[in-house]
Amino acid sequence: MIPQSVIDDIRQRADIVEIISDYVQLNPSGRNFKALSPFTQEKTPSFVVSPDKQIYKCFSTGKGGNVFSFLMEMEKVNFPEAVELVAKRTGIDISRFGSQETPARKEEEKGMTTLRWAARLFHQTLMNETGKKGLAYLAAGRGLSAETITAFGLGYAPESWDHLLHESQRAGIDEKLLAELGLLTINRQKNSRYDTFRNRVIFPILTVGGQVAGFGGRTLSNDPDAPKYLNSPESRMFEKSKLLYGLHAAKQNIRRTETAILVEGYMDVLALHQAGITNAVASCGTSLTRHQAKTLQRYTSTVLFIYDADPAGKKSMMSGIDILLTEGITPTVLILPPGDDPDSFVRREGRKFFMEYTDKNRLSFIDFQLRYFMEAGSFENPDAKAGAIRIMVETISNIPDRIRKELYLQELSEKLHVSMPALLELTGHKPAQQRFRPNGEQTTHKNSKNRKQKTLQITVLEKTFLKALLESTIYGNAVLEFAASHEEMLELKHPAAREILYHMIRRYRQCAENKEDMIDPVTEISMFATTEARNLASGLLIEQPVSSRWQERPEAEREHARRCLTAFLDAFKTIILDQLVQRKERVTEALREENDNDKALLLQKEIIELNTTIRKTSSDLGVMISGILEGR
């Protein structure tokens, strides 16, 4: 619902180098910038950002695009959300478009503003005279540094019934909104209202994008009836089952290490981050949920559980393993020494020992389950053991990938000395039949064909054609106009190449009414339907121009435009002729194998006709191309 002209303006005003620098450390490399890939682990930088073209390309993974596609990849948001994020960075107001103007959206903005106000109030209170008690608990009692306290916006709610209420009245904030957000409690029977959080250190709970969604408060009271931890109540802004504490700060390192450390408490997250283990998150004091697992799956396929080693913690990990496996995540488990939690252990032992201990004592989920059932005495008699095995097989059955599922069943079979057929029977499936053909082929013709399609490499000819087509749009729509008028003659074999061509032609036709409209290929990258097309186009654009020396010549722009057009037309001619030549080769091959004289004569006649068509087409295209180039 945002006009294309506004999207173009947002992208052109954005500095892709500045935005990507929030996620990776960019270093100058000639006219470009280089960095280690944010999408994978590597030792040699292969991630390139071009400030001139405002695009990026990762040569390790093949991913590439513009500022919108980068944020879509990193933040796992859709295109409109990515546009909105960039618009905020560039100071462009897009609130007048689409759903931005709805009452619900305005209410959501008001709620978010109020939550940010409350977070600032709690933090400011912690850092002034009123917050001495809370600061002493966090700094002296729990060993948190000033940097950690500030980075996570920790705060304090004083032992007062109306501290926040009084401050909200001064700020002109509606009491009804405060009550909806759980910051104010209203007792209708007594006709009273009071602060929800009192005498508690406050942990703001942020969304993955860094917006305050709610709060957790740890009591400093000695009252045995007061709950140790108190969270914001469920509301439209705060859905505890969908949030992970610390994810906004951990997401980049989770990607880099390809592992998320999942702990139980806020202090566990803070202690690990302070020790430099910045891929830790917590499930907000609840058992892991499907929503939280889905969120983690956006960033990693491996999770290390470090819950408390007490029975409740182990039980939570048992259920969490099933949830993670269902979402395609491989869980591992670390059991800490008795009496320890991640907070106490890392503060006492330090980062180095913590990492060494983790490497030595990390358990696969199967080994953890075996240990869990052995400690519970479930392997002491056949009936209990059979029940435990059924539970473990049910856990493995949650794995969506069939091959991984069977491999884990084989591992379980070897460790328990139970046959694979018996375990497979528990899953409700019979053993998979070997699909071998007599001639040694292991796949059907259809599967072979699909595999060939997936591994089809784009030809140099098609790359040259597309690169010239994309680069030519810098100078106007002449080349696109030519491609659109000859679309029926063009047949590109690579699927991503076809998508790029048809998309650009479609965009040209949409803009055809206004001849002055320019189509920006960098903006178009985000519009391609498939990741393959986006990656291909960004790779073509970030490579050297059609002629790498055009910049050294006089009248550089004009010379480059002519070379783009020449390369495009040459590739166009070759693509058309190649179709005819390949057809002739097929007919010639058929003629060699034909034993029927009448059919052979027909094939010979077709070859003669094809030769004539090839010569005439080549001549016509040559004249047409010469005319176009002379006209330019």
Side-chain angles (χ1 to χ4, degrees), residues 522-542:
V522 178
T523 298
E524 295 303 318
I525 287 174
S526 297
M527 310 292 187
F528 296 139
T530 66
T531 303
E532 290 75 16
R534 292 194 291 271
N535 294 342
L536 174 59
S538 59
L540 292 173
L541 286 171
I542 210 164

Side-chain angles (χ1 to χ4, degrees), residues 158-230:
E159 196 170 1
S160 166
W161 291 90
D162 60 359
H163 175 73
L164 182 137
L165 176 60
H166 178 68
E167 293 296 330
S168 69
Q169 290 170 344
R170 291 177 56 187
I173 298 174
D174 183 15
E175 291 182 10
K176 182 180 178 182
L177 179 58
L178 291 171
E180 287 177 2
L181 297 172
L183 293 165
L184 202 63
T185 299
I186 297 177
N187 188 324
R188 301 193 184 282
Q189 290 182 340
K190 295 183 178 180
N191 193 28
S192 63
R193 65 234 194 277
Y194 52 88
D195 295 355
T196 301
F197 295 100
R198 303 180 310 281
N199 195 23
R200 292 178 181 270
V201 289
I202 301 296
F203 303 89
I205 301 171
L206 277 58
T207 67
V208 67
Q211 298 285 351
V212 181
F215 302 95
R218 201 276 187 197
T219 187
L220 299 184
S221 169
N222 295 321
D223 183 357
D225 294 329
K228 184 176 179 181
Y229 279 95
L230 181 67

Side-chain angles (χ1 to χ4, degrees), residues 20 22-24 36-42 47 61 63 69-77 85 208-209 246-261 278-281 294-303:
I20 290 181
D22 289 347
Y23 299 84
V24 297
L36 294 173
S37 171
F39 309 123
T40 187
Q41 288 187 297
E42 62 181 12
F47 182 79
T61 62
K63 296 177 179 180
S69 53
F70 182 80
L71 287 176
M72 289 165 68
E73 180 74 31
M74 298 301 288
E75 296 294 344
K76 306 301 178 185
V77 296
L85 288 172
V208 67
L247 183 59
H248 70 287
K251 59 187 177 184
Q252 299 313 322
N253 206 36
I254 289 174
R255 282 196 181 98
R256 283 193 291 272
T257 60
E258 299 181 352
T259 300
I261 296 177
T278 56
N279 56 332
V281 296
K294 285 179 184 293
T295 300
L296 285 172
Q297 197 271 338
R298 299 175 186 173
Y299 302 96
T300 184
S301 58
T302 306
V303 165

Side-chain angles (χ1 to χ4, degrees), residues 425-570:
E425 188 176 336
L426 290 176
T427 69
H429 293 89
K430 294 182 179 179
Q433 297 296 319
Q434 295 283 346
R435 292 181 175 84
F436 288 103
R437 287 172 165 251
N439 60 3
E441 292 179 5
Q442 296 182 27
T443 57
T444 64
H445 175 70
K446 181 178 179 181
N447 288 337
S448 299
K449 185 178 179 182
N450 288 341
R451 189 171 67 248
K452 286 182 181 178
Q453 288 176 345
K454 288 180 182 177
T455 58
L456 180 66
Q457 297 295 312
I458 185 170
T459 63
V460 174
L461 174 62
E462 290 189 356
K463 285 179 69 175
T464 303
F465 175 81
L466 286 176
K467 183 169 177 60
L469 176 73
L470 293 169
E471 284 188 2
S472 71
T473 57
I474 300 169
Y475 310 104
N477 296 337
V479 170
L480 276 174
E481 182 181 5
F482 180 82
S485 62
H486 296 80
E487 180 182 1
E488 71 283 352
M489 301 176 71
L490 292 166
E491 185 180 334
L492 303 185
K493 292 183 174 60
H494 195 275
R498 284 198 303 272
E499 182 187 339
I500 292 171
L501 172 63
Y502 296 149
H503 174 92
M504 295 301 288
I505 289 174
R506 184 168 63 253
R507 287 287 293 120
Y508 162 75
R509 287 174 175 152
Q510 289 172 353
C511 300
E513 294 181 4
N514 188 351
K515 298 290 185 182
E516 300 302 316
D517 278 357
M518 300 280 283
I519 296 174
D520 182 353
V522 178
T523 298
E524 295 303 318
I525 287 174
S526 297
M527 310 292 187
F528 296 139
T530 66
T531 303
E532 290 75 16
R534 292 194 291 271
N535 294 342
L536 174 59
S538 59
L540 292 173
L541 286 171
I542 210 164
E543 289 173 359
Q544 287 292 323
V546 173
S547 171
S548 61
R549 298 183 180 179
W550 69 270
Q551 294 157 317
E552 302 169 7
R553 301 193 176 197
E555 299 181 332
E557 272 200 20
R558 185 176 178 182
E559 179 68 17
H560 182 227
R562 182 179 177 84
R563 287 181 180 274
C564 282
L565 181 59
T566 303
F568 168 79
L569 293 171
D570 285 346

Side-chain angles (χ1 to χ4, degrees), residues 364 366-368 370 374 379 385 392 409-418:
S364 71
I366 288 179
D367 287 338
F368 169 73
L370 284 170
M374 285 179 180
F379 282 4
K385 186 174 183 179
M392 295 179 72
L409 284 172
Q410 287 175 355
E411 181 182 342
L412 188 62
S413 170
E414 292 167 4
K415 290 185 173 182
L416 292 174
H417 305 292
V418 177

Side-chain angles (χ1 to χ4, degrees), residues 583-616:
R583 184 178 167 192
K584 176 187 170 182
E585 289 174 352
R586 289 196 296 272
V587 176
T588 302
E589 183 63 28
L591 177 60
R592 289 196 191 99
E593 298 177 358
E594 186 56 64
N595 296 318
D596 187 303
N597 287 335
D598 291 336
K599 292 181 179 179
L601 286 172
L602 290 173
L603 290 172
Q604 287 175 346
K605 182 180 178 182
E606 186 175 352
I607 290 172
I608 294 170
E609 290 173 351
L610 282 169
N611 283 332
T612 302
T613 302
I614 290 170
R615 284 194 298 272
K616 186 176 185 306

